[in-house]
Amino acid sequence: MTTELPDTASDKAVLRGRTMRALGAGVLLGLAFLGACASKEQRAADHVSRGREYLAAEKYREAEIEFRNALQIDPKDAAAHYQLARAYLGMNDLNNAFAELQRALALDPKLRDARLELGRLYLAGGDGNKAEEQARNLIEANARDVDAYLLLATRFMIEGRTEDATNAVKEALAIAPNSAAVRLTEGRLLATQGKLEEAKQAMAQAIALDPDKLDAYTALAMFDRLRGENAAAEEVLKQAIAKFPKNSAPSFQLAELYLAEAKFDEAEAILDRMAKDGPDTLAAKRRLVDVYLERGKMPEAERGVTELVAANKDDLETRYVQARLLVARGDVQKAAAELEQILKEWPGFVRARYQLAIARVRENKLDQAVQELTTCLQYEPGFLAGRMLLARVYFQKGSADLSQEEAKRVLRAAPRSVDMQLIVSDTALARGNFPEARAAAEALVRDFPDRAQGYHRLGRALASEGKHAEAVVQLERALSLSPTSADILADLITVMAAEGKSEQLRIDRVRRHVDANPEVGNARLVLAQLLLASGDTAGGTATLEETISRNPDLLAAYFVLGSVYGQGGQLPQARAQFERLVQRDPKSVVAHMMLGVIDEMEGKYADAAQQYKQALDLQPEFAPAANNLAWHYAERENNLDIALELARKARAKLPDDPYIADTLGWILYKRNLFGAAIEQLKESAGKLPDNPEVRYHLGMAYLKNGDTARAQAELTAALEQKGQFPSADAARAALSGIEAEEPRP
């Protein structure tokens, strides 16, 4: 088909009209298209603009939504990907932040800020090589990029490369000597070198250069704490809280300071206020749960965890708090598995790794605990709690040299750390270096003249050197400062015996202490035991009865008194005595407790359990009855769930009682939680080294945990004690099994 062109004027006019209309329609469509494009670009720009406003207001979730809307319009907007990464960083969503930073740089490799943040994330994730690669890339693009040098310096400090870190800081100082960030990094570097005075000067200079830089305040407060200047640290943090009311960091640090000073109510008040009013309500709730767990407030901790899970059960930090709760409950294996999974998703989560180290200690996997703590310190070299625990784990492993080395590292940063000074003294004593042990103890006395620990350690060191008279002087000083300490009193009596003091003189010394401190149950118990050992059964029995009357929670006194009654054939008379007491006072928990002990000694186990239940009905927190009833359920009814609940209740009430530690440890053993059992049983055996049943329990836990050498040592020690004990035959059988499996020469 062909189209004929018109050749008449009228036809040409018609054609021109149609053509103009067609052109007009096309122009209008084109203009409409251009308008749509402009509207699309403007919408994206509006989303980005609102997102930036939300970022400035720290409304990160709202910012995320705006940047995502912008990227739906233009997925190749590199700057929007970077801003979205910033929103994720604000929400601590590191995985998504990392992904968005990579997308931004793939679209625009010249995005400097995105590269810097990516380098920081690599460093937080433990990949120092890739962090350095990003820093070098930035320096290649701009040789005067100060932040790139600071990134390098931080990487080198983490790895202990002091010379490289120093060079990087020097480069940064040459470029920006008046930068608060540079001076702050310089201060941190000086601190790692133990140059605390210079470090503090650098921190103060950072604040002077930029009074609005929060990091400088918090760093200065930390250094004040390390130097033992807590009042100065408190003042700096209060200034920071007033200056930066919307930032949670100074409030958290002040709470930590109060916790370190045992001002628990003040710390909880800060965290509780933050949990209700902000800033950072969820983080405050998580830390509050931590504090509850540290203080043994299990119901409060469990309520807190329930609230956190309801808010966001998938949040890594909430999962971490749940794992902490599992550790506190003794379900260490499940906690360790969860912490391992968390660390796969967030390798640089130092607190989670620290808790995993604690779990490893409780599982008696000390080598793995060392590995986790070492990794913690690679991520955060200034993490003193991790280094302190590492020193303790090395001491527990018998690695005195390594333990002392770590303790001395802590002391270089925190010279007034009592725990680490004690480690130095104890490790020196363990290695037989008595002069060093004495010097460390003298330093404690010099730094803390109002505390008993220094005098106590000095007394031990002097006694080890055979200087018994001097040791007695120091132990007397220690006891005057800590009159409730059973360990100091026991050491004093032991040294007096080594000095040649008579039995009567030792009895008189303890009696004077009891008269001066009538409410100290442990002292009265020591007196009773001395009297019994001297043959004064009547005096010992009367003292025990008075001990229980004054200190009904002292579990050991019931055991000793019951033993005295049994050995003297006085159980019927004792029963009649306490039954009369119940008739006069049906609410006497002591009477029910003693009747339960007597029933047990006579083999009336069901009756004994009933007495313990009555005591708990009268006083639900009565730890001695909870402990004995826990033992009954574990040994005679095989009801391990109720037994564990009762034992934990008793342990929370009396955390230092070795008999309760033994009960809890044995129940954990029966639940096949051998590592957790060892932790409890080691403590019990350490305080009751002459108790064969406790040593047997520890030996069996070692055996089931695969540590045959320690199992053999504990079982042998149990069987070498004087007299028989209920599990002697089982101990012999286990020991024979170990010996049978030993390779023949």
Side-chain angles (χ1 to χ4, degrees), residues 481-547:
L481 291 168
S482 182
T484 63
S485 172
D487 287 344
I488 296 174
L489 183 59
D491 282 351
L492 175 60
I493 300 308
T494 299
V495 175
M496 287 178 68
E499 192 185 9
K501 300 296 184 185
S502 69
E503 192 171 60
Q504 189 57 50
L505 282 173
R506 284 177 274 146
I507 289 172
D508 290 344
R509 176 64 192 88
V510 177
R511 197 185 297 280
R512 288 197 305 275
H513 188 70
V514 168
D515 290 342
N517 304 277
E519 299 307 316
V520 179
N522 281 319
R524 203 177 295 275
L525 180 58
V526 170
L527 176 59
Q529 290 171 317
L530 283 172
L531 290 169
L532 292 170
S534 72
D536 185 358
T537 304
T541 302
T543 303
L544 284 168
E545 289 172 346
E546 186 179 1
T547 301

Side-chain angles (χ1 to χ4, degrees), residues 21-259:
R21 284 195 294 273
L23 285 172
V27 169
L28 290 173
L29 285 171
L31 290 172
F33 176 74
L34 290 173
C37 287
S39 176
K40 182 178 177 182
E41 290 171 357
Q42 186 59 50
R43 289 202 313 275
D46 289 343
H47 285 305
V48 169
S49 177
R50 284 193 295 271
R52 287 176 178 274
E53 290 175 4
Y54 283 131
L55 274 182
E58 297 182 0
K59 295 181 178 180
Y60 300 116
R61 185 64 66 188
E62 292 86 344
E64 177 199 7
I65 292 169
E66 293 297 339
F67 293 131
R68 281 194 169 280
N69 286 337
L71 287 167
Q72 283 182 345
I73 297 170
D74 183 2
K76 294 185 178 181
D77 186 342
H81 281 289
Y82 168 62
Q83 296 299 334
L84 179 56
R86 289 183 61 205
Y88 284 131
L89 287 170
M91 293 185 286
N92 205 33
D93 186 346
L94 303 187
N95 288 333
N96 275 322
F98 184 81
E100 290 303 322
L101 289 171
Q102 287 188 313
R103 291 185 184 109
L105 288 168
L107 291 165
D108 184 357
K110 294 181 180 180
L111 276 178
R112 180 261 182 194
D113 290 346
R115 192 169 297 283
L116 181 63
E117 291 295 350
L118 184 61
R120 288 169 175 165
L121 279 186
Y122 275 130
L123 197 60
D127 196 334
N129 290 331
K130 288 188 177 178
E132 182 174 350
E133 181 183 329
Q134 301 304 316
R136 298 291 183 195
N137 188 299
L138 289 168
I139 292 169
E140 184 178 345
N142 177 9
R144 296 181 60 80
D145 193 322
V146 171
D147 290 327
Y149 285 109
L150 296 184
L151 179 59
L152 282 178
T154 305
R155 184 260 165 108
F156 295 141
M157 278 191 279
I158 288 173
E159 296 183 358
R161 293 163 59 180
T162 305
E163 185 177 350
D164 289 334
T166 302
N167 290 335
V169 169
K170 284 180 179 177
E171 292 282 358
L173 282 168
I175 298 167
N178 294 322
S179 163
V182 173
R183 292 297 176 183
L184 186 60
T185 304
E186 181 190 24
R188 288 170 175 156
L189 173 61
L190 291 165
T192 65
Q193 297 171 304
K195 300 175 181 178
L196 296 186
E197 284 294 340
E198 295 173 59
K200 182 167 183 175
Q201 289 174 10
M203 296 297 109
Q205 190 172 2
I207 292 176
L209 288 167
D210 186 357
D212 293 327
K213 189 170 183 60
L214 174 61
D215 285 355
Y217 289 87
T218 55
L220 179 57
M222 180 59 68
F223 283 117
D224 284 333
R225 282 190 61 186
L226 292 177
R227 291 162 55 85
E229 298 174 359
N230 287 353
E234 182 178 2
E235 184 59 32
V236 170
L237 290 171
K238 286 181 176 178
Q239 291 175 13
I241 290 169
K243 193 170 184 63
F244 308 97
K246 293 183 179 180
N247 195 296
S248 61
S251 294
F252 276 124
Q253 278 202 24
L254 184 57
E256 297 304 320
L257 173 61
Y258 287 144
L259 289 171

Side-chain angles (χ1 to χ4, degrees), residues 14-30:
V14 170
L15 180 59
R16 280 197 304 271
R18 289 175 178 173
T19 303
M20 291 303 296
R21 284 195 294 273
L23 285 172
V27 169
L28 290 173
L29 285 171

Side-chain angles (χ1 to χ4, degrees), residues 380-558:
E380 193 174 326
F383 182 41
L384 290 187
R387 200 169 293 283
M388 287 178 177
L389 181 57
L390 183 57
R392 296 188 192 102
V393 172
Y394 277 138
F395 188 73
Q396 193 171 339
K397 279 169 58 68
S399 304
D401 290 340
L402 292 172
S403 175
Q404 190 175 88
E405 180 183 337
E406 291 300 329
K408 287 181 176 178
R409 284 184 182 176
V410 174
L411 289 170
R412 283 196 290 271
R416 293 173 61 84
S417 170
V418 175
D419 286 348
M420 293 300 101
Q421 286 180 320
L422 289 172
I423 284 278
V424 171
S425 181
D426 290 344
T427 51
L429 202 61
R431 291 159 54 225
N433 189 338
F434 305 134
E436 185 181 12
R438 178 159 36 87
E442 287 169 346
L444 267 170
V445 169
R446 182 182 63 249
D447 292 343
F448 303 97
D450 297 329
R451 296 193 187 185
Q453 293 103 318
Y455 302 103
H456 187 194
R457 291 312 193 277
L458 185 53
R460 284 182 172 178
L462 290 165
S464 299
E465 292 180 288
K467 300 175 181 179
H468 297 119
E470 295 176 53
V472 166
V473 172
Q474 299 303 325
L475 291 169
E476 289 282 10
R477 289 180 183 173
L479 193 61
S480 69
L481 291 168
S482 182
T484 63
S485 172
D487 287 344
I488 296 174
L489 183 59
D491 282 351
L492 175 60
I493 300 308
T494 299
V495 175
M496 287 178 68
E499 192 185 9
K501 300 296 184 185
S502 69
E503 192 171 60
Q504 189 57 50
L505 282 173
R506 284 177 274 146
I507 289 172
D508 290 344
R509 176 64 192 88
V510 177
R511 197 185 297 280
R512 288 197 305 275
H513 188 70
V514 168
D515 290 342
N517 304 277
E519 299 307 316
V520 179
N522 281 319
R524 203 177 295 275
L525 180 58
V526 170
L527 176 59
Q529 290 171 317
L530 283 172
L531 290 169
L532 292 170
S534 72
D536 185 358
T537 304
T541 302
T543 303
L544 284 168
E545 289 172 346
E546 186 179 1
T547 301
I548 289 172
S549 174
R550 287 177 176 271
N551 305 93
D553 281 340
L554 193 56
L555 182 57
Y558 294 97

Side-chain angles (χ1 to χ4, degrees), residues 532 537 541 544-545 557-575 577-578 594 597-603:
L532 292 170
T537 304
T541 302
L544 284 168
E545 289 172 346
Y558 294 97
F559 292 147
V560 178
L561 183 57
S563 177
V564 171
Y565 287 147
Q567 291 173 5
Q570 297 177 316
L571 288 179
Q573 298 94 315
R575 176 185 295 281
Q577 172 189 342
F578 287 106
M594 276 310 307
V597 170
I598 293 167
D599 282 332
E600 279 206 70
M601 297 190 73
E602 293 182 339

